[in-house]
Amino acid sequence: MDYRSWRHVFKLDPAKAISDGHLERICESGTDAILIGGSDGVTLDNVLDLLERVRRFKVPAVLEISTIESVTPGFDFYFIPTVLNSGDPKWIKGLHHEAIREYGDLMDWEELVPEGYCILNPDCKAARLTGADSLLDEEDVVAYARLAEHFFRLPIFYMEYSGIYGKPELVAQVREHLTDTRLFYGGGIDSTEKAQEMARLADTIVVGNVIYTNIENAIRTVEAVAETTKQSL
Ligand code: 1GP
């Protein structure tokens, strides 16, 4: 199992309710992985609960860490955001330092995957929480992508539009500047068309909210990405 080959990922928010039936459909959909994470209301209890339910299926499970208190063993990977466009060092390296200071001896570094986040929707919770400067022009975003790849050598650059559909032209621009770092795109994918459009540009698309608003459309995004991948072979 290698996250570098993933094309489609579902993101489940531990603070939101999901029925067993819907969860089964999501986990058995053919998606490459389930990412568990959210911006607020994430607790050890709701993470453990969701992990246990997801573990009934074969799909890889990843915890995207947002608070140190909700970290628990049992995931295949731990994705750790560093918010490159945050104005607050806490979200770039502060919490990371604190966690390593506390648990550094216990950490399995092979399971930890840093993600260079660039938050591009100024109104999303993550932008407000982290004090992200989301009003960026193309050159700013490309520079963050280059910073991720060439300076910090991060394995993932994540264009985060959470809640709104982003600009395909900008994703295409960034695509041209990344070689080793994988490009993740997330935000507003709620249809086959949007899934395909972004899957043609990004290495991996992340589908979140539509799981809770339109399960049928959520499931269709998996097939849509598979089609796109076939077409490009
Ligand atoms: C959120 O990038 C993900 O962190 C997915 O965004 O919820 O808008 O699909 P949506």
Side-chain angles (χ1 to χ4, degrees):
M1 179 204 333
D2 185 350
Y3 67 87
R4 280 163 290 223
S5 63
W6 295 347
R7 294 276 292 137
H8 180 287
V9 169
F10 275 128
K11 192 185 279 193
L12 290 175
D13 185 342
K16 287 187 186 163
I18 183 166
S19 68
D20 284 340
H22 284 191
L23 187 68
E24 177 171 358
R25 292 189 65 193
I26 291 295
C27 292
E28 301 272 66
S29 63
T31 187
D32 293 309
I34 304 293
L35 199 55
I36 293 182
S39 292
D40 60 8
V42 178
T43 64
L44 182 58
D45 276 354
N46 57 27
V47 168
L48 277 171
D49 178 64
L50 200 49
L51 172 64
E52 193 192 309
R53 293 172 69 205
V54 169
R55 275 297 185 220
R56 293 179 197 144
F57 307 94
K58 283 205 204 87
V59 66
V62 181
L63 181 64
E64 187 173 59
I65 299 177
S66 53
T67 63
I68 298 170
E69 302 74 49
S70 58
V71 179
T72 170
F75 285 89
D76 296 298
F77 291 106
Y78 295 83
F79 281 11
I80 307 178
T82 170
V83 183
L84 299 174
N85 61 330
S86 169
D88 182 348
K90 173 180 167 187
W91 300 102
I92 306 168
K93 53 90 186 173
L95 291 170
H96 319 65
H97 176 258
E98 197 182 312
I100 293 169
R101 191 173 187 278
E102 191 74 20
Y103 303 108
D105 287 343
L106 305 171
M107 283 177 173
D108 178 348
W109 301 98
E110 294 300 308
E111 292 176 348
L112 304 186
V113 182
E115 303 171 291
Y117 256 69
C118 188
I119 304 180
L120 293 159
N121 171 8
D123 298 319
C124 74
K125 272 186 228 155
R128 286 198 295 268
L129 182 70
T130 63
D133 174 11
S134 301
L135 301 173
L136 305 173
D137 65 22
E138 255 175 47
E139 277 150 31
D140 290 323
V141 180
V142 166
Y144 278 124
R146 286 177 151 158
L147 187 72
E149 170 147 343
H150 300 292
F151 188 78
F152 289 120
R153 300 192 187 276
L154 296 169
I156 294 170
F157 181 69
Y158 191 139
M159 295 178 75
E160 171 65 296
Y161 281 93
S162 185
I164 59 166
Y165 190 60
K167 294 193 189 117
E169 316 78 57
L170 183 55
V171 183
Q173 279 267 325
V174 168
R175 151 88 293 144
E176 282 179 28
H177 295 279
L178 293 178
T179 312
D180 295 330
T181 296
R182 283 188 72 80
L183 177 57
F184 275 43
Y185 170 85
I189 295 181
D190 57 8
S191 68
T192 303
E193 294 71 28
K194 288 177 189 163
Q196 286 188 334
E197 183 170 43
M198 287 305 181
R200 284 193 194 101
L201 303 169
D203 294 305
T204 307
I205 63 161
V206 182
V207 177
N209 201 41
V210 71
I211 298 166
Y212 303 94
T213 58
N214 188 334
I215 187 78
E216 302 303 332
N217 277 9
I219 300 292
R220 283 189 198 109
T221 63
V222 180
E223 184 57 30
V225 172
E227 275 300 311
T228 312
T229 309
K230 251 190 267 162
Q231 284 163 14
S232 67
L233 291 177

